[in-house]
Amino acid sequence: MQQVYKSLFFAFTTLFISYLSAAQENQSDTTITSVDADLVSIFTQKVPKKYKIAAIKVAGNHFFDENLLVSISTLNVGDEVSIPGGDNFAKAINKLWAQNYFSNVEIYLTKLEGKNITVEINVTERPRLAKFYFTGIKKGDADDLNAKTGLIIGRVVTENMKRSALEAIKKYYAEKGFQDVKTKIEEKKDNSIQNSLQINFIIDKGGKTRINDINFAGNTIDGLKLKKRFKDTKEQSRLTLFPPDNSGGFITPHRYTFQDYLAEKGYLTYTLSRKLLDPYVRIKLFTSAKFNEKKYIDDKEKLVEYYNSLGYRDIAIEKDKVFKNSKGSMNIDIKINEGHKYYFGNITWRGNTKYTDSVLTAILGIRKGDIYNLDNLNKKLGKGAPEGADISTLYQDDGYLFFRTDPVEVAVYNDTIDYEIRIVEGPQATIKNVRIFGNDKTKEKVIRREIRTIPGDKFSKTNLIRSQREIAQLNFFNQEKIGINPIPNPEDGTVDINYTVEEKSSDQLELSAGWGGNIGLTGTLGVTFNNFSIYNILHKKAWDPLPMGDGQKLSLRVQSNGRAFRSYNFSFTEPWLGGKKRNSFTFSIYDTKYANAYNPATGTYTSSAANSSYIQTTGLGVNLGRQLKWPDDYFSLSVGINFARYKLKNYYIDQINLPGFNNGFSHNLNFKIALQRNSVNQPLFPTNGSNFLLSLALTPPYSLIDPNVAKESNPYKWIEYNKWRFTGEWYAPLTKPTGEERNKMLVFKAAAKYGFLGRYNKDLSISPFERFQVGDAGLANQFALLGYDIIAHRGYPVYQSSNPSINPEQSGASQYFTIFNKYTFELRYPISLNPSSTIYALTFFEAANGWYSMKDYNPFQLRRSAGVGMRFFLPMFGLLGFDYGIGLDRVTPGGSLKDAARFTFMLGFEPE
């Protein structure tokens, strides 16, 4: 700024002459070369006179256009200026200087003709950034800093630019735990570009600073509990010994070294092992952590919130000190003033006419004598509470959109606080307009039929939340971008509701191909259109590239494994048959053939072998579903009729129970009914809700109608059975992150599944069809031709023995179960919830087993497994996933966990 002040000074004093003389010596021929005495005299006159700017020139500019600089200066040809005493030139200098592009700005008068003057603006441009480097750090860190520093090649180099870059470097490493980072800037001229610089940031990040001790003073609550409130500020790893007290419990922990502890026990020389540790001494391992100032401030707020939840409303952190100890680690001392612990007193209501005090008090759920917790009170009143658990939802579900509450402290005595909750009910609001935005492909009727907020109905908060869930369940839109915006109209007591959606691709493509030598061509081609429109299939304009938007599902799949296997599948689903009610209609047809195509005589796969031994399954099914209103509208009921024909040629399906049946036909005509309640909030990554399904599939009791059926050589010409299935799944969030991370919550899933296959006639063996195959990844194989339900069990191959002590690898599987139980527990964490790639990681514990009769059934005899996995939902390919499971009952004496581990993969669907 010194140059600015000098320039301003010379513009209005006679010192202008000295500046002008200096310019004569240093400037090129583009600047002033002589001194005009008349020009100098105008600065010495005692009375200011007006002069007109006749011309404006610019000197010293290399990158900036002359006309641009003149425009920024606000000087114009024809302007009148007063000399001395005018401020036109001072303003021009300030305008140019404010651009931060120049290291010096001066204005000269170069010519005087009568009252006309010629003005020259002389600038010294700052150099521009040609290149920049980061040295002394890893390439990965340098790549990160390229973006975080905000440096851009070609930009003018300013002190502010360099200062911002240094601050970004310091912040970047501070977040990584390096609090002592030092950065030196080296500049050198770049000869390849005029007036440009290369900048080298030499970084010494130093050592990582870890927190050694967090100490509290003034607290009555145990310090360990307070430390747990700190989410991101934790002490570094150490072993803390908890000596036992006389009652077998543990006294307050104190930290001392293993050496001290062992010396007390009399071990002067030792080899450290677990055997030396007293069995009554616990070892607690604290998580290592780096210090981050921003997160430390957030953690202090969490500490205050924790105290508030315990009734300490006057809690204050009087002072805190963050300092380094002699070893370079960081200590934190926090002094707390807890204040008094308060309790709720009398809670009264005022202004309520719709509901009585007793009803509101019951829903509030806070009684006199409860620990004071203002946050809990606000949540119960509806300020950030879960859906359906607050006073606000009670009113807003009955149309009281303008309802509000104001809790007021009316008395504070001793440790008790009385509240009066003042209610303004307002009028009931009626829904006026419901608008939908963003549905570029999906027809509006498809969304509108899912919405529970109908014009003319009273406003309902619960219906608003339910509408969001139903739109998400369509899986046509980005679930993170579904927006609902109620716009109240107080003047007429109505409300407009705007829904916004963002389309995403929900179609799936399955494509693979190969050549198997003697097997022949192998491959799969499958397409699933989840938002199809069969109504527009004959309209050419609707093919873009396919008729879409009516919410129907069309699936086509062709699979071949050369001469050994081929399969054709087609299915179509209309979720709203008739368009007025949620009545679904599904039609499917398939034809599958599996052959023993291997010819042992030639050692090759031949067509003749494939045609001489095979099983072929052809079937079709029709299913109708309906949403129920009772017990609630999460329930649905579906009924279906299915027919399958099994053709066998020199192919045994059960040599144990049917040793003579390897040629002929079997038919399966069954009626299926299923009752389901599904309240999960999202289809791809559910975070709460549940899904229960109870189903029964049964055939006519042929052997009861005709007792001779059981005596026939093929008693399964018409298969008979009754199959019962139950599935229960629960989802619950274990964490509740906020801000940008609000959707990245740790989710717990629990599932229980049961299956039973029964018979009508005790003289007839249970059907070899429709059984339960347990184990492996749950992917379909040739046994799916027999209608087997394939139950995945991660960490195990397919097994046929109910005894967990029998290793499945040794026993193999040639027959399958009529009863199964399966239990699953998972922890899921999302890595990406982007609609283009939903990815989450999981860890699981699973237990399952199968049995052949109720006599053998033992629900506590289960095979256990544990492991980790990943799931990838890609719009074009559906589900891709893998699990690494360890079969805990496969671990043999002297064996390792690695020998009991098993990778399983899944494609297209989540196995049962």
Side-chain angles (χ1 to χ4, degrees), residues 214 226-234 299 303 334:
I214 302 175
L226 299 182
K227 291 174 184 178
K228 289 180 180 179
R229 300 297 112 189
F230 283 3
K231 178 183 177 183
D232 298 300
T233 307
K234 297 184 181 295
D299 281 339
L303 182 64
I334 301 174

Side-chain angles (χ1 to χ4, degrees), residues 306-325:
Y306 174 64
Y307 264 101
N308 290 156
S309 69
L310 299 178
Y312 296 91
R313 73 164 190 168
D314 300 327
I315 170 68
I317 297 177
E318 290 190 343
K319 63 179 181 179
D320 63 302
K321 182 180 180 182
V322 180
F323 60 97
K324 287 188 177 180
N325 59 23

Side-chain angles (χ1 to χ4, degrees), residues 371-599:
I371 293 174
Y372 175 82
N373 186 337
L374 182 59
D375 183 58
N376 185 46
L377 175 63
N378 285 329
K379 285 183 178 180
K380 291 293 185 179
L381 291 175
K383 301 174 182 179
E387 56 189 78
D390 57 83
I391 302 296
S392 176
T393 299
L394 176 69
Y395 270 92
Q396 290 189 5
D397 278 352
D398 199 26
Y400 290 91
L401 174 62
F402 308 103
F403 165 87
R404 67 179 186 272
T405 58
D406 183 19
V408 178
E409 293 182 5
V410 293
V412 180
Y413 49 96
N414 299 324
D415 61 353
T416 303
I417 303 174
D418 290 345
Y419 265 94
E420 180 181 80
I421 301 176
R422 298 170 184 174
I423 293 177
V424 178
E425 294 179 337
Q428 289 177 302
T430 302
I431 299 173
K432 186 177 182 180
N433 298 308
V434 176
R435 304 183 183 93
I436 302 170
F437 302 96
N439 53 313
D440 302 324
K441 181 173 66 173
T442 304
K443 293 182 180 178
E444 185 167 311
K445 69 175 184 179
V446 174
I447 305 172
R448 195 169 289 275
R449 68 194 184 190
E450 303 292 339
I451 292 175
R452 304 300 178 92
T453 52
I454 310 300
D457 287 357
K458 289 188 295 185
F459 177 82
S460 170
K461 179 180 177 181
T462 297
N463 284 344
L464 207 66
I465 296 171
R466 182 67 184 276
S467 297
Q468 184 178 28
R469 173 193 177 273
E470 297 300 333
I471 294 174
Q473 288 285 10
L474 289 173
N475 202 25
F476 302 156
F477 310 105
N478 180 356
Q479 298 171 15
E480 307 303 316
K481 297 292 182 67
I482 298 174
I484 304 178
N485 182 27
I487 304 174
N489 305 308
E491 61 277 3
D492 61 359
T494 63
V495 57
D496 295 336
I497 301 176
N498 293 338
Y499 291 87
T500 56
V501 296
E502 181 182 285
E503 297 269 10
K504 71 169 187 177
S505 175
S506 59
D507 301 328
Q508 297 174 10
L509 171 66
E510 185 180 0
L511 180 63
S512 65
W515 181 262
N518 292 325
I519 296 177
L521 179 66
T522 66
T524 300
L525 174 61
V527 290
T528 300
F529 305 107
N530 289 304
N531 193 4
F532 193 70
S533 175
I534 199 170
Y535 304 120
N536 289 324
I537 200 167
L538 298 179
H539 295 79
K540 290 184 178 180
K541 293 182 179 180
W543 287 75
D544 186 26
L546 290 168
M548 307 294 286
D550 274 322
Q552 298 157 348
K553 181 177 180 180
L554 179 69
S555 179
L556 296 165
R557 190 171 188 267
V558 178
Q559 185 177 9
S560 171
N561 191 17
R563 300 178 180 87
F565 177 80
R566 60 115 179 104
S567 176
Y568 309 114
N569 295 269
F570 169 83
S571 69
F572 171 78
T573 299
E574 166 58 78
W576 284 69
L577 185 63
K580 295 182 179 180
K581 292 184 178 181
R582 195 190 297 266
N583 298 327
S584 64
F585 168 80
T586 299
F587 172 78
S588 63
I589 186 169
Y590 60 91
D591 184 81
T592 304
K593 180 180 179 181
Y594 176 80
N596 291 325
Y598 182 73
N599 188 337

Side-chain angles (χ1 to χ4, degrees), residues 635-696:
F635 278 87
S636 62
L637 179 69
S638 65
V639 294
I641 297 178
N642 303 283
F643 173 78
R645 189 193 72 166
Y646 305 100
K647 180 182 178 182
L648 285 75
K649 184 175 182 180
N650 297 320
Y651 190 95
Y652 287 97
I653 59 172
D654 188 349
Q655 295 191 49
I656 297 175
N657 297 306
L658 293 171
F661 179 46
N662 65 336
N663 283 280
F665 293 90
S666 289
H667 305 85
N668 183 353
L669 176 64
N670 68 77
F671 171 80
K672 185 175 183 179
I673 182 170
L675 179 66
Q676 183 176 22
R677 186 185 189 275
N678 185 355
S679 63
V680 297
N681 61 337
Q682 300 177 31
L684 295 185
F685 185 75
T687 58
N688 61 59
S690 59
N691 180 32
F692 297 95
L693 175 65
L694 176 64
S695 67
L696 168 64

Side-chain angles (χ1 to χ4, degrees), residues 2 36 181 187 312 338 343 434 464 530 669 857 890:
Q2 185 178 6
D36 189 324
V181 62
E187 299 179 3
Y312 296 91
E338 293 181 338
Y343 300 85
V434 176
L464 207 66
N530 289 304
L669 176 64
Y857 177 64
R890 292 174 60 204

Side-chain angles (χ1 to χ4, degrees), residues 11-12 39 42-43 45 47-56 73-92 107-109 111-112 114-119:
F12 305 107
L39 188 61
I42 69 175
F43 288 93
Q45 58 191 1
V47 179
K49 294 182 180 180
K50 291 186 177 295
Y51 297 88
K52 181 181 290 187
I53 299 176
I56 302 175
S73 73
T74 67
L75 296 176
N76 297 292
V77 174
D79 285 355
E80 286 190 345
V81 296
S82 295
I83 302 177
D87 62 351
N88 302 66
F89 298 128
K91 289 181 178 179
I107 295 180
Y108 300 101
L109 303 185
K111 188 176 182 180
L112 175 64
K115 295 296 183 179
N116 296 328
I117 58 174
T118 299
V119 176

Side-chain angles (χ1 to χ4, degrees), residues 24-288:
Q24 286 179 301
E25 299 176 5
N26 299 311
Q27 298 297 320
S28 65
D29 58 2
T30 61
T31 61
I32 303 170
T33 58
S34 64
V35 178
D36 189 324
D38 294 336
L39 188 61
V40 174
S41 67
I42 69 175
F43 288 93
T44 61
Q45 58 191 1
K46 295 182 180 180
V47 179
K49 294 182 180 180
K50 291 186 177 295
Y51 297 88
K52 181 181 290 187
I53 299 176
I56 302 175
K57 299 180 180 179
V58 178
N61 59 310
H62 300 286
F63 293 98
F64 292 100
D65 180 70
E66 178 177 335
N67 294 327
L68 175 64
L69 297 182
V70 172
S71 176
I72 293 174
S73 73
T74 67
L75 296 176
N76 297 292
V77 174
D79 285 355
E80 286 190 345
V81 296
S82 295
I83 302 177
D87 62 351
N88 302 66
F89 298 128
K91 289 181 178 179
I93 291 174
N94 280 330
K95 290 282 188 182
L96 290 166
W97 188 262
Q99 304 306 310
N100 212 20
Y101 293 142
F102 310 104
S103 59
N104 190 29
V105 180
E106 295 176 336
I107 295 180
Y108 300 101
L109 303 185
T110 59
K111 188 176 182 180
L112 175 64
E113 293 181 344
K115 295 296 183 179
N116 296 328
I117 58 174
T118 299
V119 176
E120 181 178 289
I121 301 173
N122 192 283
V123 297
T124 303
E125 294 182 350
R126 295 183 186 274
R128 293 179 177 261
L129 184 62
K131 295 179 182 179
F132 62 93
Y133 311 91
F134 302 98
T135 57
I137 58 174
K138 296 184 296 185
K139 183 180 182 301
D141 288 356
D143 292 340
D144 291 341
L145 290 174
N146 282 336
K148 292 184 179 294
T149 53
L151 298 172
I152 299 176
I153 301 297
R155 289 278 179 91
V156 173
V157 177
T158 65
E159 292 303 317
N160 183 60
M161 171 193 283
K162 292 184 282 187
R163 186 166 50 251
S164 298
L166 291 175
E167 290 175 355
I169 293 170
K170 183 178 180 180
K171 180 181 178 183
Y172 174 75
Y173 280 107
E175 291 176 352
K176 289 178 170 287
F178 297 93
Q179 301 297 322
D180 300 322
V181 62
K182 296 178 182 178
T183 306
K184 180 182 177 183
I185 294 180
E186 285 188 351
E187 299 179 3
K188 66 176 182 179
K189 187 176 180 181
D190 189 293
N191 296 322
S192 62
I193 304 176
Q194 184 181 12
N195 194 26
S196 59
L197 289 176
Q198 296 182 14
I199 299 180
N200 183 16
F201 295 89
I202 304 172
I203 301 173
D204 178 9
K205 62 184 181 181
K208 186 171 288 189
T209 304
R210 298 190 182 277
I211 301 170
N212 180 60
D213 273 318
I214 302 175
N215 303 306
F216 295 96
N219 56 304
T220 59
I221 299 174
D222 182 36
L224 287 178
K225 291 184 178 179
L226 299 182
K227 291 174 184 178
K228 289 180 180 179
R229 300 297 112 189
F230 283 3
K231 178 183 177 183
D232 298 300
T233 307
K234 297 184 181 295
E235 295 171 325
Q236 62 183 347
S237 295
R238 63 162 59 85
L239 293 173
T240 301
L241 303 181
F242 291 69
D245 59 19
N246 295 328
S247 64
F250 293 94
I251 63 176
T252 303
H254 61 274
R255 294 174 192 156
Y256 55 105
T257 65
F258 274 118
Q259 291 85 347
D260 294 336
Y261 172 69
L262 296 172
E264 290 180 7
K265 295 294 183 181
Y267 297 97
L268 299 180
T269 60
Y270 56 85
T271 300
L272 188 60
S273 69
R274 298 183 64 148
K275 293 181 180 179
L276 295 178
L277 299 177
D278 191 295
Y280 293 101
V281 175
R282 291 191 305 178
I283 301 174
K284 186 171 182 179
L285 186 65
F286 285 85
T287 304
S288 62

